[in-house]
Amino acid sequence: RGPPPPGRREPWSDVRRAVEGYQPGQQGIDGGGFRVVQDDGAYLYVQFESLKNGYVDDVELALADDSSLLVRSSSRVGYLDFQVNAKRLNALAASLRAAGWDAPDITPGTHPTYFAQNAPKPDQVPPSTAFRR
C-alpha cells in the first residue's frame, strides 16, 4: 500500500503502465504471461501464469478513497509459491517508484511469515537455481 506522488491527477495511469510494462519471465517467473481480466479505472484484476505448469496467480489492485493503492496477490494452488508473488509485486512496486510513488518492496523484514513459509527447502530448489560445483 502506498500513495501516489503528491498532486498526481491520474494515479491510475501509473498503475496501468506498471502492469502493462511488466516483463513476463523476469526473475524466472510468469513465463506464461499475464492477462488483464478487469479494469474499471479504479480496480484492476490480472491473472499471471507460470510457464511450465500453467499455474495461475491472481493479482488485484484497487485505488482507495485516499488514492493509496491496495494490492492482493495470491496463488490459486496451495500456499507455497517460492516467493513468486513477492517477486512479481516487487517488480510492479519498482515501476511505481520510478513514477514517483512510495511503494516499498516486500522483504523478510516487512513480511517475515510469508518469507519463512516460502523459503525453499534444499530438496525443493529447482535445478535451474541449484548451486553446482
Side-chain angles (χ1 to χ4, degrees), residues 30-129:
D30 300 325
F34 66 92
R35 73 182 187 103
V36 174
V37 177
Q38 183 179 349
D39 178 0
D40 70 7
Y43 171 81
L44 190 65
Y45 169 43
V46 187
Q47 294 175 341
F48 291 84
E49 185 176 343
S50 67
L51 180 61
K52 292 183 180 179
N53 299 320
Y55 294 126
V56 175
D57 290 346
D58 299 302
V59 175
E60 295 175 280
L61 303 110
L63 275 180
D65 291 339
D66 65 358
S67 292
S68 63
L69 185 65
L70 306 175
V71 179
R72 184 185 81 83
S73 183
S74 178
S75 301
R76 287 188 182 178
V77 178
Y79 67 93
L80 295 178
D81 73 350
F82 301 100
Q83 301 172 9
V84 167
N85 284 291
K87 290 175 184 177
R88 178 184 306 120
L89 292 181
N90 285 344
L92 294 172
S95 294
L96 290 171
R97 282 193 303 273
W101 287 64
D102 174 18
D105 275 339
I106 295 169
T107 67
T110 62
H111 295 77
T113 303
Y114 168 81
F115 279 89
Q117 290 175 339
N118 285 283
K121 310 293 184 271
D123 62 333
Q124 296 174 320
V125 177
S128 63
T129 59

